[in-house]
Amino acid sequence: MLRVAVLVSGGGTNLQAVIDAIEEGRISNARIDVVISNNKKAYALERARKHGIQAVGLSPKDFENRDLFNEALYQELAGREIDLVVLAGCLVVIPDKIIREFENRIINIHPSLIPSFCGKGCYGLKVHEQALQRGVKISGATVHFVDEGTDTGPIIMQKAVEVRDDDTPEVLQRRIMEQAEWVILPEVINLIAEGSVSVSEGHVKIKK
Ligand code: GRF
């Protein structure tokens, strides 16, 4: 059984998609051991509690410095023998120590087709604002492994979504969530739980 930790900062609709997929059997052989949020008021924590999942608020503000926060975050994961860390709308920069310890065991969902509209400072609505500004006709979402860079890790799965002429960033964001993010994030977790995902020289292979 794959032991999963989900790290969140906000509303947690991606978390909800994973919870639903586990409850409906679309993800087998995995369970969420803990949901951790840097924002104690995040609705995602409430979603976890509603489903009997341990919810931990861990705010950098409660620590004297960043190193102590990073260490506390590390202990939360290491202490639970977590196999896979899922960043689902997590705005915390993951410390290098965690990235090294969990090499190819941390995944992130990004709301564009990487390498477009990603990188430092490109998150949330900004991603969709930039896509609309550039006038792309398709956008989408990407699930990738996390390495030391920002959105630079090996790509696991992508799904394209149509951009319409009258889209606003909010409308496009919602369509990408519904049609791509909530679909591919659970799918990737299931593939990892099945042992079907491998990484070699920075490229991901999925066993069919
Ligand atoms: C999603 O668009 C995700 O791709 C991005 O942040 C948003 C999080 O939404 N990284 P939610 O908290 O899962 O509802």
Side-chain angles (χ1 to χ4, degrees), residues 16-28:
Q16 190 68 54
V18 177
I19 292 173
D20 293 347
I22 290 175
E23 290 184 352
E24 291 162 16
R26 283 178 286 117
I27 296 177
S28 50

Side-chain angles (χ1 to χ4, degrees), residues 10-15 88-90 108-111 124 128 173 177 181-182:
T13 61
N14 278 290
L15 166 69
C90 171
N108 180 48
I109 175 96
H110 183 78
H128 308 294
Q173 178 182 53
M177 282 180 154
E181 296 182 46
W182 302 343

Side-chain angles (χ1 to χ4, degrees), residues 8-17 44 47 87-91 108-112 122-125 127-128 140-142 173-174 176-177 181-182 185:
V8 295
S9 299
T13 61
N14 278 290
L15 166 69
Q16 190 68 54
R47 291 183 194 268
L87 309 183
C90 171
L91 296 177
N108 180 48
I109 175 96
H110 183 78
S112 75
C122 194
Y123 60 88
L125 272 183
V127 179
H128 308 294
T142 303
Q173 178 182 53
R174 182 76 194 177
I176 288 175
M177 282 180 154
E181 296 182 46
W182 302 343
L185 185 60

Side-chain angles (χ1 to χ4, degrees), residues 111-149:
S112 75
L113 295 174
I114 290 174
S116 292
F117 316 120
C118 64
K120 220 167 178 208
C122 194
Y123 60 88
L125 272 183
K126 289 181 203 167
V127 179
H128 308 294
E129 280 164 13
Q130 288 184 20
L132 292 178
Q133 201 168 17
R134 184 63 186 84
V136 291
K137 302 301 182 194
I138 54 166
S139 189
T142 303
V143 178
H144 63 92
F145 284 114
V146 172
D147 64 7
E148 272 97 347

Side-chain angles (χ1 to χ4, degrees), residues 22 40-42 55 66 71 74 86-87 132 156 181 186 203:
I22 290 175
K40 290 181 185 167
K41 292 191 185 130
R66 198 71 190 187
E71 186 56 29
Y74 174 75
V86 176
L87 309 183
L132 292 178
I156 308 169
E181 296 182 46
H203 289 184

